Amino acid sequence: MIAAPFQLTDADLVAAVARVLWPLARIAAMLAAAPLFGARTVPVRLRAALGFALAIVAAPLVPAPAGIEPFSPEGAVVLLREAAIGAGLGFLLQMAFGAVAMAGEIVAFGMGLSFASIVDPERGVGAPLVGQYFVVLATLLFLALDGHLALISLLVESFRSLPPAATGLTSGGFLELAGWGARMFEAAVLVALPAAAALLVASLSIGLIARSAPQLNVFAVGFPLTLMLGIVALAVGLPALAPQFERLLEAALGEARTLIGAWQ
């Protein structure tokens, strides 16, 4: 008895593409906005291959929206919503790195090194040397703390708690994102506070000296003094960067879980 030949209809092909396309929209947007994965130094082909591989793995866990074709106007709305969710998740983690970079800029301004800038390979813009130093340390801590695995785990969790649907984003999700933007400035001040406070005291002392001795060349004395004090403050406060960034990363992941709940 001869078995019937395998037949693949158009409906089966569309269903197979949709199974991968629904999670791919969220995963691709998250990889483009997340730190480390969305850096300009990461090749686009590598990022696309990683996103496609994660979408194939996550496809069995993602329920397809009932009655919605992926290439229909309703499907386009769902895909845009999935991309917004993924970009929001990556944006929260990116803000943690932005807080560290801003802390470095605050310290660099106090040291007088704000003019010493290099190209940030992750963002492709100029950044102070101290801020880039903080970003490199934060990236190493992110990998050491398995932050990339936690981000992928959060992405899989988002498919379980927030499957693709035709409902739109609620105002709570946008309020959570705006609130976390304010938290970024607060975290940047807390990270830079020890070194910035020491440099502020040094600047006030130099100002008092210049006031009491006008004939003294303040720039010749003050710049080397603040530079040396800033380097000492960075060396002394460097061990405290790891626990601060760990708390900031945990807060970002917790905020992402809250954001998923706000979008339901």
Side-chain angles (χ1 to χ4, degrees):
M1 183 175 180
I2 300 176
F6 176 75
Q7 294 181 354
L8 183 64
T9 62
D10 294 340
D12 296 333
L13 183 60
V14 171
V17 172
R19 292 287 293 178
V20 179
L21 190 60
W22 298 124
L24 182 61
R26 185 182 301 186
I27 292 173
M30 188 274 295
L31 293 178
L36 187 64
F37 298 104
R40 290 176 177 247
T41 54
V42 178
V44 178
R45 294 182 180 179
L46 179 60
R47 192 185 309 156
L50 179 60
F52 189 72
L54 291 176
I56 293 177
V57 174
L61 304 175
V62 181
I68 299 179
E69 297 292 334
F71 303 106
S72 62
E74 294 82 4
V77 173
V78 175
L79 290 176
L80 289 176
R81 177 177 180 268
E82 291 298 300
I85 294 174
L89 296 178
F91 174 77
L92 288 175
L93 271 296
Q94 191 67 255
M95 287 297 98
F97 281 76
V100 176
M102 185 177 296
E105 293 181 5
I106 295 174
V107 176
F109 181 79
M111 293 175 60
L113 289 179
S114 57
F115 63 90
S117 61
I118 58 177
V119 177
D120 187 354
E122 185 173 357
R123 300 173 179 84
V125 296
L129 186 61
V130 181
Q132 187 61 28
Y133 175 67
F134 275 27
V135 170
V136 171
L137 290 179
T139 303
L140 296 177
L141 290 173
F142 181 74
L143 295 175
L145 296 173
D146 292 334
H148 56 297
L149 300 180
L151 183 60
I152 295 175
S153 176
L154 177 65
L155 186 63
V156 175
E157 181 182 344
S158 70
F159 285 119
R160 295 175 179 173
S161 59
L162 188 60
T167 57
L169 297 176
T170 61
S171 58
F174 293 104
L175 290 177
E176 290 291 335
L177 283 175
W180 182 250
R183 288 280 304 276
M184 181 192 70
F185 294 98
E186 177 185 351
V189 173
L190 290 177
V191 173
L193 187 59
L199 292 171
L200 178 61
V201 172
S203 299
L204 291 176
S205 302
I206 293 172
L208 292 176
I209 294 173
R211 189 69 175 176
S212 59
Q215 68 276 9
L216 183 66
N217 190 352
V218 180
F219 293 100
V221 177
F223 181 74
L225 181 61
T226 54
L227 183 59
M228 292 176 58
L229 183 61
I231 294 175
V232 172
L234 287 177
V236 173
L238 192 60
L241 180 62
Q244 288 177 345
F245 181 74
E246 184 177 0
R247 289 192 295 268
L248 184 60
L249 187 61
E250 291 177 355
L253 294 175
E255 190 72 21
R257 294 185 178 91
T258 304
L259 186 64
I260 294 173
W263 277 346
Q264 290 180 348

